[in-house]
Amino acid sequence: MSTFRIQGGKPLKGTITPQGAKNEALQVMCATLLTEEPVTISNIPDITDVQKLILLLEVLGVKVERLAAHTYRFDSSCVDLRAVDLDKLKGSVAKLRGSIMILGPLLARFGYAQIIKPGGDRIGRRRLDTHFLGMTKLGATVAYNIQAGIYTFTVPKQLRGAYILLDEASVTGTANTIMAASLAQGTSTIYHAACEPYIQQLCSMLIAMGARIEGVGSNLLTIHGVDKLHGTTHAVMPDIIEIGSFIGLAAMTQADLVIKNAYVTQLHPVLEPFRRMGIQIDTADGDIVMRPQTSYCIEKDLDSTLVTLADGIWPGCQPDLLSVLLVAAIQAKGTVLIHQKMYESRLFFVDKLIDMGAEIVLCDPHRVVVIGLNRAYALRGIRMASPDIRAGIALLIAALSAEGTSIIENIGQIDRGYEKIDERLGALGADIERIESRSV
């Protein structure tokens, strides 16, 4: 079991560059299944979720060539679903939530797909209904083998364009439906679509491949199906959740930090919740500049009621960001209600923060009240375990700000979403040791 040992309270200073966006990378890598021609994608983060998806694509018959660090060429010309080892496919899918996004491309190009319920973070119920709705509206039929746990999708002739009102603005559900509709016969209208930057990036790549998509950046997309898509080159955008994580880290540890190439023009929905907590964020030439703050005060609403930070569909606050906002609020001046609407288990890591000395009240599975310490005292180091990617980075931020030594177990969860985070933060002055042993 990989473990981090952190000696907290070290001053952090320097420059850090965000990795490529995890959520976008998984989408555009699946989109390479839509064409027989090679697709080259750069700025792919070197994280375990990406590595798992590469293995899955190779099980399907995709030729994956690493051209350079973070750059890969994908060739799906030899994919033959009849030759796929179903046991290997099931094993790969079970390890990765993002594997569900092979569904749309496989149905669009081959008219057939078999999937099982994908893996991923255990943060509450994660529905697949939106994915299935999109596929069935486009003409696919689905059968479920309850004993084997396999969903089999078939298309009688070809996917057909349709009006699709998604039951929720699911990012991966929207991505799957867009990819399937791009090769469907006729025109599709997708309403209540997610419009996160990751979806915009996926649409840009598909358009470069020959897709005809209107309304990019809105929740109403019109897709005119084409007969064939061709190869392209594409660069993954910086990871906005990692950028938010670095902002929270800088606030908690009073770091002197420059975040390079921070996608500032698209980052306002990420920056605004931190600014509501009084965290000073400066921008210059596309970079974010964080200077040490001895104190930051949570804004009150105009009627002086308790501030609530809640997740929402873009351009609302990103659900993946709430764990970082929660931990950043620990040393703020004032009180804030954190409302995680989407997942009922995502806030259960707060017991570790309470053990470290944070003043947090868990109201119910979806809401916590954080009473800021205003740096009256530092958190204390403890032993803990990372339950999921975003809770893991929040616990790491807390440990870096704490007095004494912290042990974080199960850091494979952090590695799923953050590339070599110990090395990158170590370069800023953090005292982090990775231990590949149980005896710590």
Side-chain angles (χ1 to χ4, degrees):
M1 178 192 297
S2 297
T3 302
F4 281 154
R5 178 186 281 126
I6 302 107
Q7 185 65 41
K10 303 293 183 180
L12 304 183
K13 182 177 182 179
T15 299
I16 194 165
T17 300
Q19 66 187 30
K22 166 187 176 286
N23 292 340
E24 179 197 341
L26 299 181
Q27 293 177 24
V28 296
M29 289 167 64
C30 289
T32 64
L33 289 164
L34 288 165
T35 179
E36 297 180 354
E37 299 181 15
V39 176
T40 300
I41 305 176
S42 60
N43 202 32
I44 293 177
D46 185 13
I47 54 177
T48 55
D49 271 13
V50 162
Q51 295 159 7
K52 290 174 184 176
L53 183 55
I54 288 174
L55 291 176
L56 170 58
L57 293 174
E58 289 176 334
V59 167
L60 291 172
V62 179
K63 296 178 182 177
V64 182
E65 181 182 0
R66 186 174 184 268
L67 303 180
H70 307 110
T71 301
Y72 293 82
R73 179 186 293 123
F74 300 85
D75 183 348
S76 301
S77 60
C78 295
V79 171
D80 182 357
L81 298 185
R82 296 169 297 180
V84 171
D85 185 320
L86 188 56
D87 288 335
K88 288 185 178 179
L89 180 63
K90 289 172 64 177
S92 297
V93 168
K95 297 175 182 178
L96 179 65
R97 175 72 184 180
S99 63
I100 188 64
M101 288 183 291
I102 66 173
L103 175 60
L106 291 181
L107 280 179
R109 187 169 157 209
F110 301 101
Y112 177 82
Q114 281 191 320
I115 64 166
I116 65 169
K117 188 173 182 179
D121 287 330
R122 302 305 181 191
I123 53 179
R125 185 187 178 211
R126 307 184 74 179
R127 303 169 69 246
L128 297 177
D129 304 57
T130 306
H131 301 265
F132 296 173
L133 171 67
M135 300 307 107
T136 55
K137 286 287 187 179
L138 292 169
T141 59
V142 57
Y144 180 52
N145 184 328
I146 192 169
Q147 292 182 330
I150 298 175
Y151 296 91
T152 301
F153 291 80
T154 54
V155 179
K157 292 184 179 180
Q158 183 182 359
L159 293 177
R160 303 181 306 275
Y163 175 86
I164 304 168
L165 174 60
L166 297 182
D167 59 345
E168 63 176 343
S170 161
V171 175
T172 53
T174 299
N176 238 338
T177 307
I178 291 170
M179 290 187 282
S182 66
L183 289 179
Q185 184 179 41
T187 297
S188 297
T189 301
I190 306 173
Y191 200 23
H192 198 209
C195 55
E196 272 80 351
Y198 312 128
I199 291 291
Q200 298 176 41
Q201 286 283 101
L202 172 65
C203 289
S204 295
M205 175 173 144
L206 292 174
I207 290 169
M209 295 169 68
R212 298 173 58 199
I213 305 174
E214 301 169 6
V216 177
S218 75
N219 68 350
L220 178 61
L221 298 173
T222 302
I223 303 173
H224 306 283
V226 297
D227 293 332
K228 187 176 182 180
L229 295 176
H230 52 74
T232 191
T233 58
H234 178 78
V236 174
M237 65 179 277
D239 195 312
I240 60 177
I241 304 302
E242 187 175 69
I243 293 169
S245 301
F246 294 150
I247 292 171
L249 170 69
M252 277 290 282
T253 64
Q254 302 183 69
D256 191 352
L257 186 64
V258 176
I259 306 170
K260 297 291 291 183
N261 303 324
Y263 209 64
V264 171
T265 57
Q266 298 290 328
L267 210 60
H268 299 296
V270 173
L271 302 183
E272 188 58 28
F274 289 104
R275 286 175 168 152
R276 289 200 70 190
M277 287 201 293
I279 297 171
Q280 180 67 39
I281 303 171
D282 297 320
T283 60
D285 300 323
D287 301 336
I288 289 175
V289 180
M290 302 291 299
R291 299 305 182 200
Q293 271 187 268
T294 56
S295 179
Y296 48 97
C297 183
I298 298 170
E299 293 181 3
K300 289 187 176 182
D301 286 340
L302 293 177
D303 58 359
S304 297
T305 56
L306 185 68
V307 169
T308 298
L309 296 179
D311 56 343
I313 60 175
W314 188 268
C317 179
Q318 294 290 277
D320 284 352
L321 198 60
L322 279 188
S323 297
V324 175
L325 288 165
L326 189 159
V327 79
I330 290 172
Q331 290 295 1
K333 180 181 180 181
T335 302
V336 63
L337 173 67
I338 303 290
H339 190 177
Q340 167 60 262
K341 300 175 183 176
M342 188 170 293
Y343 302 115
E344 66 271 15
S345 302
R346 197 165 217 173
L347 298 177
F348 286 169
F349 74 99
V350 300
D351 61 329
K352 311 298 190 303
L353 299 174
I354 293 170
D355 289 345
M356 298 178 78
E359 294 189 6
I360 300 174
V361 178
L362 180 62
C363 305
D364 55 47
H366 293 277
R367 297 178 302 163
V368 299
V369 173
V370 184
I371 304 162
L373 301 175
N374 195 26
R375 304 201 195 280
Y377 56 86
L379 299 180
R380 53 183 174 270
I382 64 168
R383 178 182 288 267
M384 47 196 158
S386 171
D388 64 73
I389 298 174
R390 307 308 174 184
I393 200 67
L395 293 175
L396 179 56
I397 292 170
L400 289 167
S401 74
E403 290 182 347
T405 301
S406 294
I407 302 294
I408 302 180
E409 300 171 342
N410 197 30
I411 61 169
Q413 289 286 358
I414 302 174
D415 291 336
R416 287 181 49 219
Y418 292 85
E419 178 180 337
K420 299 177 181 177
I421 193 66
D422 50 331
E423 297 178 16
R424 296 161 70 204
L425 295 183
L428 300 176
D431 188 345
I432 307 177
E433 181 184 6
R434 180 184 291 263
I435 304 172
E436 306 290 349
S437 171
R438 293 182 182 273
S439 57
V440 293

